[in-house]
Amino acid sequence: MLEKDIVAKIRNYLKTVPNCFFWKEHGGQYGTAGIPDIIACIEGHFFGFEVKTDKGKPTALQTVTIRKILAAGGTAAVVRSVDEVRALIEGALQR
């Protein structure tokens, strides 16, 4: 499965999550390097999802950004499926 297909499935899932605001971050010349692929706010909690395929690995900058989000109290991770996103959301919102 391609990364863009995983992103599409995650976006479709997030559309069903109550009180969820999200967007797909687009990289490139005008974006900020290292920002996770999907940014979401759910019930006041910040999420950053760096989407990768089974073989994909985050860059050093993506790893640093995830650590900064975690240090600031948000939830961020490399995800490879909707199930991983669902688990992160449920875990964060139960705290």
Side-chain angles (χ1 to χ4, degrees), residues 55-72:
K55 295 180 181 181
K57 295 181 182 178
T59 66
L61 185 54
Q62 289 168 336
T63 300
V64 167
T65 301
I66 288 170
R67 285 186 189 139
K68 287 181 178 180
I69 292 168
L70 294 171

Side-chain angles (χ1 to χ4, degrees), residues 30-52:
Y30 300 106
T32 301
I35 297 295
D37 294 305
I38 299 174
I39 303 298
C41 183
I42 305 169
E43 296 182 14
H45 192 92
F46 182 92
F47 292 87
F49 303 112
E50 181 57 47
V51 181
K52 297 293 181 192

Side-chain angles (χ1 to χ4, degrees), residues 3-4 7 11 22-27 36-39 51:
E3 186 175 302
K4 70 177 185 173
V7 167
R11 291 177 70 183
F22 73 93
W23 70 92
K24 164 71 173 91
E25 184 66 25
H26 296 283
D37 294 305
I38 299 174
I39 303 298
V51 181

